[in-house]
Amino acid sequence: MQRIKIKLVLLLTFLYFPFLQEVLGQEAPMSFEDNKETKLKGNETHLYELPLKKGELLQLQLLQKNVNIQIEVFHQKKNTIQRFNTAYGKNGKEIIELPIKKNGNYSFKISPYIPKSYTDSTRANFINNIDGSYKVIKFKTLSSVAYKKLLAFREIQKDSVISWIKDESRLLKSVKSETGFKDLSYLKPILKNIQIVGLGETSHGTKEIFQMKHRMLEFLVKEMGFNIFAIEASHIGCRPINDYVLHGKGTSRTALSAQEFWIWNTEEVIDMIEWMRKYNTSVSNDKKIKFVGIDTQIVALDLAYKNVSSFIKKTNFNELHNIQVDSVFQGLKTNRDRTDMSLQRQQLYTLLSYLVVNETRLVRNTSNQEYAKTIRDLKKIIQGVESNDRKFQKKVDFDIRDEYMAQTTLEVLHKEKLGSKMVLWAHNGHISKNSGAYINGYLKSLGSILKRDLGDKYYAVGFSTYQGSFQARNYSPKEKKYAGAVSFKISPAEVESLDWYFNQSKKDIFFLNFNPSPNSNAVQTFLNTKHKTNSAGANWTFEYSYSPTRRVEPGKSYDGMIFIKETSAATLTPGGKKELEKRLRENR
């Protein structure tokens, strides 16, 4: 009998390991070791094996560096029982907690995440560029007894957090503007000494969040003296909106379309702009509110192109005969390939150098005002190029776009009169003050830079929603094509996600202030631990069966949050629909 068992083991080994070598590319399973860093290149896969007992809990944390890893777990080398890929990026922690339901050997296959939509040369290039590593920063197996104690402890912690949310959150009566400020009045001492209030959003197309931000703007302007409204939209392209709200020039719809971001071209934003115009007609000049864009992308730059080109022609631009300014600008408007924009950057920097070196002569031939405006516009063009240049972005370890948005935000604030205060509208990811969080795969979000430079004078308000819908463009990964804007469903939030916790308050809308830090250890742990939360950008796809989410540490990311239980898709204006139609024609 013993010989039969030995033969069976040898047979299984003989059958299994050739398969292992072929599929997983290694000769034998590896072992998890604390603080061990392992390289991962190309399409490599690494296999780990571990004997585990029923009732135990495996706790494993891997720190990714320049590679987005996924972990598949097998029991007794059979079908996958669970797959982990929680970081959704190339850097950060991959956290695994696996309750063990059966005795036996468990296999863990670690491999780079390769999007299924990538095929042929796109897939091959993606794989060739994979060159990263992962490090085991936690590896622990809890016994069944210890795991039961941990579960009991977590239940107590959960109850404490829910009680805190119920007690400390302030019920808000409505998301709509012009409904009074009684429920918001408790924010006055909290925001008394704040210079910039950042208002986030869970998506770029959520009706009730847009309305709530309008209401917050109304409160901050009328009750607390804020006089600047800034938005994650083209700095140059928003000038017509400012002309409208300050001077009544043109119409709100024409002005809004000029900024060319279809996501903001909604009826909810139109309502806010019309309110701003109405407010400005009722107050003195020193109390009027300005509308500025703080984003730097290669859209809505026509006013800057025209101004710089006119200035160059006016000043007899002969010294740089090898640079055709209008041709460069036309190329930026029509070229959709952003892989490497080194040549355009070089040409623009040469132009900027010429203007700076010849300042005295150029001012003499024009004026200080014309010269300064030209320099400002050219800088925004350069920032737009650098924010979109993929090759240039890879050279730095921070998000270029957010860095430039922060620069523009501070420039606008410091340019205004002493004591000016700003309301800042952007996505949750951008307004986050967490310097350790990633935005588009890189560190240093807009909010974290503002927090660094302004300290306690910056207050970040994140938004959360439990269920409903949002508006975004439909993208087909299989066909690699964008379609029009549609409404995507948000399923009820996952248990123990941030949105789920907030929903336990039994309040439809509330504001929750995180400052000062609560005395409860359970609440502090909750605020400084990553939780899933609903989060979408401008695009999503019906080809995915789940709602888009991200993980955030609420206390590190925000000073307070607004929860809206149920939300719906924003409403595009006719101008917004036209902008989308234009993008579809241009295949972008």
Side-chain angles (χ1 to χ4, degrees):
M1 186 68 182
Q2 186 67 27
R3 289 180 179 178
I4 293 174
K5 287 183 178 179
I6 293 172
K7 288 180 179 180
L8 181 59
V9 170
L10 290 173
L11 177 62
L12 290 172
T13 303
F14 174 77
L15 292 172
Y16 175 66
F17 274 92
F19 168 78
L20 185 68
Q21 285 179 289
E22 180 182 352
V23 177
L24 301 176
Q26 65 183 62
E27 295 184 356
M30 302 163 68
S31 299
F32 291 116
E33 298 178 30
D34 280 325
N35 297 314
K36 181 181 178 181
E37 186 169 355
T38 305
K39 296 286 186 181
L40 189 63
K41 291 187 175 183
N43 202 13
E44 290 179 353
T45 56
H46 298 161
L47 183 75
Y48 294 79
E49 276 198 0
L50 192 65
L52 295 165
K53 296 178 182 178
K54 181 180 179 180
E56 292 180 334
L57 175 72
L58 173 69
Q59 295 180 314
L60 177 66
Q61 291 186 17
L62 305 175
L63 184 63
Q64 304 170 125
K65 185 178 180 181
N66 203 36
V67 61
N68 184 9
I69 63 173
Q70 59 181 356
I71 300 98
E72 291 180 83
V73 185
F74 307 84
H75 177 244
Q76 301 290 75
K77 309 182 184 81
K78 295 181 181 178
N79 294 334
T80 303
I81 60 172
Q82 198 161 347
R83 182 180 283 107
F84 298 89
N85 183 15
T86 53
Y88 301 109
K90 297 195 297 183
N91 297 282
K93 293 179 184 177
E94 193 70 53
I95 301 173
I96 296 100
E97 282 204 340
L98 184 67
I100 306 305
K101 298 179 180 179
K102 294 181 180 179
N103 293 332
N105 285 335
Y106 285 75
S107 301
F108 300 81
K109 186 176 80 170
I110 298 179
S111 61
Y113 171 72
I114 302 171
K116 292 181 180 179
S117 59
Y118 289 2
T119 58
D120 304 328
S121 60
T122 303
R123 177 183 171 85
N125 289 334
F126 183 84
I127 291 173
N128 288 336
N129 287 321
I130 296 174
D131 185 5
S133 64
Y134 59 91
K135 183 178 182 180
V136 179
I137 56 175
K138 183 176 183 179
F139 171 51
K140 190 175 184 180
T141 303
L142 298 184
S143 67
S144 59
V145 174
Y147 180 34
K148 287 177 183 177
K149 289 182 179 179
L150 176 63
L151 288 175
F153 173 75
R154 285 179 173 176
E155 281 299 314
I156 295 172
Q157 299 284 90
K158 187 192 301 182
D159 291 342
S160 297
V161 170
I162 292 172
S163 295
W164 174 76
I165 293 171
K166 287 180 177 179
D167 293 341
E168 296 301 321
S169 61
R170 296 299 183 100
L171 181 67
L172 302 179
K173 69 176 183 179
S174 176
V175 298
K176 294 182 179 180
S177 62
E178 301 186 87
T179 54
F181 304 128
K182 187 176 181 180
D183 55 334
L184 294 173
S185 60
Y186 97 105
L187 289 173
K188 287 185 177 181
I190 295 172
L191 303 178
K192 181 181 178 181
N193 298 314
I194 301 300
Q195 269 191 295
I196 297 180
V197 172
L199 298 177
E201 59 196 18
T202 60
S203 86
H204 285 319
T206 306
K207 180 184 184 73
E208 290 75 15
I209 292 178
F210 286 9
Q211 290 176 321
M212 188 68 221
K213 291 203 277 189
H214 176 181
R215 187 176 182 222
M216 285 292 293
L217 172 67
E218 181 191 19
F219 166 74
L220 292 168
V221 169
K222 285 188 171 182
E223 299 293 304
M224 304 201 68
F226 281 68
N227 60 328
I228 308 168
F229 172 81
I231 188 170
E232 180 193 339
S234 169
H235 180 67
I236 304 296
C238 283
R239 285 176 183 169
I241 306 177
N242 192 48
D243 287 340
Y244 176 75
V245 299
L246 284 179
H247 312 299
K249 184 178 179 180
T251 68
S252 58
R253 293 181 183 273
T254 302
L256 183 56
S257 293
Q259 53 84 38
E260 294 186 21
F261 277 31
W262 69 268
I263 53 175
W264 310 133
N265 209 334
T266 70
E267 296 296 342
E268 295 79 22
V269 176
I270 284 289
D271 289 344
M272 183 184 69
I273 292 173
E274 290 291 5
W275 174 84
M276 293 171 71
R277 175 60 190 151
K278 181 181 176 182
Y279 171 80
N280 281 345
T281 60
S282 67
V283 296
S284 57
N285 287 337
D286 62 323
K287 291 185 177 180
K288 288 183 178 181
I289 182 169
K290 293 183 177 180
F291 189 114
V292 297
I294 51 92
D295 207 347
T296 52
Q297 295 197 48
I298 309 181
V299 294
L301 290 174
D302 282 355
L303 289 175
Y305 295 149
K306 182 179 179 180
N307 179 50
V308 174
S309 178
S310 297
F311 185 87
I312 295 301
K313 291 173 182 176
K314 184 177 181 179
T315 54
N316 296 318
F317 183 51
N318 298 319
E319 287 83 349
L320 292 177
H321 56 84
N322 61 320
I323 296 180
Q324 302 299 320
V325 177
D326 288 342
S327 177
V328 173
F329 291 162
Q330 184 62 28
L332 292 177
K333 291 171 64 174
T334 58
N335 183 19
R336 305 300 174 201
D337 184 5
R338 311 289 167 76
T339 306
D340 182 1
M341 303 183 76
S342 302
L343 176 60
Q344 293 94 325
R345 289 176 52 243
Q346 182 181 0
Q347 291 171 325
L348 292 169
Y349 271 115
T350 300
L351 175 58
L352 180 63
S353 298
Y354 165 82
L355 295 176
V356 172
V357 169
N358 293 277
E359 177 180 356
T360 301
R361 179 170 64 84
L362 293 171
V363 169
R364 186 190 311 123
N365 293 337
T366 56
S367 67
N368 281 314
Q369 185 178 3
E370 287 179 275
Y371 175 81
K373 185 179 180 182
T374 301
I375 292 293
R376 287 197 302 270
D377 283 359
L378 183 55
K379 284 171 64 178
K380 293 309 168 192
I381 295 171
I382 293 173
Q383 289 174 0
V385 170
E386 293 193 338
S387 297
N388 284 268
D389 186 346
R390 298 190 190 104
K391 182 179 179 180
F392 185 64
Q393 175 64 81
K394 290 178 181 179
K395 294 180 179 180
V396 297
D397 61 355
F398 60 90
D399 189 83
I400 295 173
R401 180 182 166 215
D402 273 59
E403 170 65 34
Y404 283 145
M405 284 201 291
Q407 285 186 26
T408 304
T409 301
L410 294 170
E411 285 170 4
V412 169
L413 184 66
H414 295 152
K415 184 182 175 183
E416 294 299 318
K417 63 184 180 182
L418 189 65
S420 290
K421 296 187 285 187
M422 175 187 288
V423 179
L424 174 62
W425 170 317
H427 193 278
N428 274 352
H430 291 302
I431 67 105
S432 167
K433 63 177 184 174
N434 188 354
S435 60
Y438 287 85
I439 178 75
N440 299 323
Y442 295 90
L443 292 170
K444 296 184 181 178
S445 63
L446 159 64
S448 71
I449 299 170
L450 297 179
K451 188 67 178 179
R452 179 196 67 195
D453 290 358
L454 298 177
D456 291 339
K457 293 187 180 297
Y458 174 65
Y459 189 99
V461 181
F463 275 75
S464 164
T465 185
Y466 178 73
Q467 64 184 10
S469 61
F470 65 94
Q471 178 177 259
R473 286 185 76 186
N474 183 31
Y475 176 73
S476 172
K478 291 180 180 178
E479 298 179 3
K480 298 180 182 177
K481 286 185 179 180
Y482 287 100
V486 293
S487 177
F488 289 95
K489 180 182 178 182
I490 302 174
S491 301
E494 183 180 310
V495 174
E496 295 188 19
S497 66
L498 181 62
D499 310 315
W500 176 87
Y501 268 103
F502 286 165
N503 190 53
Q504 305 312 299
S505 67
K506 308 301 180 186
K507 298 174 184 176
D508 289 342
I509 314 170
F510 69 66
F511 193 106
L512 181 59
N513 180 40
F514 297 158
N515 300 327
S517 181
N519 292 325
S520 166
N521 288 332
V523 175
Q524 286 185 18
T525 299
F526 168 78
L527 291 176
N528 294 310
T529 301
K530 284 189 175 181
H531 303 276
K532 272 189 179 181
T533 184
N534 284 305
S535 180
N539 309 305
W540 193 238
T541 176
F542 284 122
E543 293 177 22
Y544 297 157
S545 60
Y546 54 88
S547 301
T549 61
R550 62 195 292 263
R551 288 181 177 268
V552 298
E553 299 158 292
K556 292 182 180 180
S557 300
Y558 313 113
D559 297 291
M561 293 192 74
I562 293 176
F563 173 72
I564 303 173
K565 180 177 180 178
E566 187 145 2
T567 53
S568 59
T571 305
L572 274 181
T573 66
K577 292 175 183 177
K578 284 183 180 179
E579 174 60 29
L580 270 178
E581 290 169 1
K582 179 182 176 184
R583 289 180 178 239
L584 285 172
R585 288 195 303 270
E586 297 173 351
N587 194 27
R588 60 185 177 101

